[in-house]
Amino acid sequence: MIGFRIDPAKRGFREIRGELDGIKRLFAIRRRERAQQNIKRQLAALRFETALVGYAYISEKADFRRDQPRWPKGSGDNSI
């Protein structure tokens, strides 16, 4: 009679263990997904920074000065 009670308990533990293994796999997948998203965000930030540095370089190379007054072409106010 004791043997019959142990067998269902073992089956219950196996089922619980299987469910726990599934949960562990799910958590591992989620961790990988978060890591991939973090890498994608970092890459986007680096691309943006690279674009800003390129813009700053081009602006400096073109001798752009922020304090220089600007008028639309042909407005006639550029005589100052």
Side-chain angles (χ1 to χ4, degrees):
M1 186 133 178
I2 294 175
F4 292 112
R5 290 184 186 166
I6 294 173
D7 190 46
K10 285 183 180 179
R11 272 189 273 161
F13 286 131
R14 285 184 192 141
E15 289 175 13
I16 292 171
R17 184 175 290 150
E19 289 177 15
L20 286 175
D21 289 342
I23 291 170
K24 286 178 185 178
R25 274 182 263 152
L26 181 62
F27 280 140
I29 290 169
R30 296 280 166 86
R31 276 193 300 271
R32 278 193 299 263
E33 288 174 351
R34 278 195 308 267
Q36 288 172 347
Q37 289 172 353
N38 191 21
I39 289 170
K40 287 179 182 180
R41 281 189 216 106
Q42 290 175 356
L43 276 172
L46 287 172
R47 287 183 185 132
F48 182 73
E49 287 180 31
T50 302
L52 284 177
V53 168
Y55 174 75
Y57 174 74
I58 290 171
S59 296
E60 185 178 320
K61 187 176 177 182
D63 211 15
F64 175 78
R65 291 187 358 228
R66 291 183 183 270
D67 61 342
Q68 182 179 6
R70 305 202 183 282
W71 291 274
K73 188 174 185 178
S75 67
D77 288 341
N78 53 7
S79 60
I80 296 176

